[in-house]
Amino acid sequence: MAGMRSRQRMFAAVMRLLLKCLRLGRRRRFKLVRQAEQLWQYGHLCLRSLLYNSFTNGDVVLDSLFEPIYWLVDHVTRWFGVTYTPAWICWHLAYGHWNLIMIVFHYYMAITTSPGHPPQAKDDLTGVSICRKCIAPKPARTHHCSICNRCVLKMDHHCPWLNNCVGHYNHRYFFSFCLFMTMGCIYCSISGWEMFRDAYAAIERMKLLEKERLEVAANQTYYQTPPPTFSFHQRAFHKSVVYLWVLCSSVALALGALTLWHAALITRGETSIERHINKKERQRLQKKGKVFRNPYSYGGWDNWKVFLGVDVPRHWLTRVLLPSPHLPHGTGLSWDLPPCVTKQRAPLLAI
């Protein structure tokens, strides 16, 4: 009996201890929840006190939400100018986007399109020479590129700006990129002439006012020095406009000269490498009293039609004025008369 009573007392003591722990845990959880609630209410009150404005209403909130749109419209209209007509604005939008699309398309195609390489098997081609560097067949107009370390069909040159050779399959893309890039730079230079003049005049005024401010400040104390007339944002804006105009004009001159050079080569039916070879051959035959004729030239107009791939009149629109991934005439391995040329090819030598 005594042992049973002692076990009952021990069990009762354990139960009382357990109930006490539960009550303490409940009180502690309640205390933590109440503290978290008080912190939330305090933070909410602080936030409302920071953002509170007795003048705020729905209209003010709506205006604040539309403020970025107002800023964009204000700056876009400032770029166009208040005197421009809707037709002039439409011209800028249409021509600018068309020129940009043509530049990006032809640059991408010039980079990603292989210039074309002759097959390595000697049995695939007959009656052609063998390259002394790569010991492979070397068809007519094919030359070895020391950078790519392989022969290129109708090679013009290796362009570092494309990281690619300019050859039979991407020559048109390269020239079109140069042409449209030159046109874009000229367009930007002409369109931004007024902005350039205003920015340049503003920079000159800044220099003059800065000089006057320093002269006045030299006779005053530090606290009496007047603040700068132009902010950093204004200075950076005017200098950026001048820099962009000079850059566009310089690129237009340099790239325009390169484009004219390649246009002259295309008119004569030559590549950059063939120009030097034909010049030496022309001088050699001239000493013998003979006249050199380029066998790959079909006349100025037909050379352009062959180069651009214009077979019918509508191709001037679909293949020249619009992005077109059409392939050039021929395979670059043989040079048969293109279908767009009606005149027969001139002989290689004429006495």
Side-chain angles (χ1 to χ4, degrees):
M1 292 294 292
M4 185 178 295
R5 290 177 180 174
S6 62
R7 284 197 297 272
Q8 289 178 352
R9 286 195 296 270
M10 185 179 297
F11 179 76
V14 171
M15 292 301 296
R16 286 194 298 270
L17 181 61
L18 181 60
L19 291 174
K20 187 175 181 181
C21 291
L22 289 175
R23 285 195 297 269
L24 289 175
R26 193 180 302 114
R27 292 174 182 173
R28 188 169 298 172
R29 285 197 302 273
F30 177 76
K31 186 177 181 181
L32 290 175
V33 171
R34 185 159 186 177
Q35 289 179 351
E37 184 179 359
Q38 290 176 350
L39 287 174
W40 167 258
Q41 293 177 353
Y42 178 74
H44 185 65
L45 179 62
C46 291
L47 183 63
R48 291 192 60 182
S49 64
L50 291 173
L51 301 178
Y52 175 76
N53 189 346
S54 59
F55 298 100
T56 302
N57 52 29
D59 295 335
V60 175
V61 174
L62 190 63
D63 290 341
S64 300
L65 293 176
F66 276 91
E67 186 65 27
I69 300 177
Y70 298 150
W71 181 90
L72 180 64
V73 172
D74 179 48
H75 283 70
V76 169
T77 53
R78 188 186 70 175
W79 283 103
F80 283 119
V82 295
T83 60
Y84 284 1
T85 62
W88 186 246
I89 295 176
C90 292
W91 154 254
H92 276 293
L93 291 175
Y95 177 81
H97 285 84
W98 169 79
N99 202 346
L100 178 62
I101 291 173
M102 297 297 285
I103 291 172
V104 173
F105 171 78
H106 288 101
Y107 184 68
Y108 174 78
M109 295 299 293
I111 291 176
T112 58
T113 303
S114 173
H117 307 283
Q120 297 298 314
K122 300 181 180 179
D123 298 335
D124 295 342
L125 297 174
T126 58
V128 298
S129 61
I130 302 297
C131 180
R132 294 178 296 179
K133 297 181 180 180
C134 57
I135 314 301
K138 187 179 179 181
R141 312 188 79 178
T142 299
H143 300 279
H144 187 87
C145 177
S146 58
I147 299 177
C148 298
N149 196 26
R150 63 186 308 183
C151 286
V152 177
L153 298 176
K154 191 193 170 187
M155 179 179 176
D156 188 271
H157 68 287
H158 184 93
C159 182
W161 310 111
L162 303 179
N163 192 27
N164 195 9
C165 272
V166 176
H168 179 61
Y169 289 103
N170 65 347
H171 193 182
R172 178 177 66 88
Y173 297 131
F174 166 77
F175 177 78
S176 298
F177 163 71
C178 293
L179 175 63
F180 289 112
M181 189 68 181
T182 302
M183 292 170 58
C185 291
I186 294 175
Y187 163 74
C188 292
S189 298
I190 295 176
S191 302
W193 171 248
E194 294 296 332
M195 293 184 61
F196 166 76
R197 290 181 57 186
D198 295 340
Y200 188 81
I203 292 176
E204 292 299 321
R205 288 197 304 271
M206 280 191 283
K207 292 180 180 178
L208 181 61
L209 292 175
E210 183 70 17
K211 182 179 180 180
E212 293 178 354
R213 187 182 70 86
L214 293 176
E215 290 177 354
V216 172
N219 300 323
Q220 296 178 346
T221 62
Y222 176 78
Y223 298 101
Q224 295 174 334
T225 302
T229 308
F230 291 88
S231 63
F232 173 79
H233 175 76
Q234 292 173 326
R235 294 171 184 268
F237 173 77
H238 294 310
K239 291 180 180 179
S240 298
V241 170
V242 172
Y243 171 76
L244 290 176
W245 190 89
V246 173
L247 179 64
C248 287
S249 303
S250 302
V251 172
L253 291 175
L255 195 58
L258 178 65
T259 304
L260 291 176
W261 163 255
H262 280 278
L265 294 177
I266 295 170
T267 305
R268 294 197 296 262
E270 298 176 332
T271 62
S272 299
I273 298 177
E274 291 173 348
R275 189 256 178 187
H276 299 285
I277 297 175
N278 293 345
K279 182 179 179 180
K280 293 180 180 179
E281 187 68 14
R282 187 178 294 106
Q283 293 175 352
R284 186 182 70 84
L285 293 176
Q286 187 177 6
K287 294 178 180 179
K288 297 182 178 181
K290 300 179 181 180
V291 180
F292 172 78
R293 303 295 183 191
N294 183 8
Y296 308 110
S297 177
Y298 312 103
W301 182 249
D302 287 336
N303 286 338
W304 278 102
K305 290 170 64 178
V306 172
F307 178 78
L308 298 174
V310 177
D311 298 329
V312 294
R314 70 172 182 273
H315 285 168
W316 289 105
L317 173 64
T318 59
R319 292 187 173 185
V320 179
L321 297 180
L322 294 176
S324 175
H326 66 277
L327 297 176
H329 288 294
T331 61
L333 303 176
S334 61
W335 300 95
D336 300 326
L337 192 68
C340 60
V341 178
T342 57
K343 184 173 58 176
Q344 293 296 323
R345 182 184 304 178
L348 178 62
L349 299 178
I351 301 178

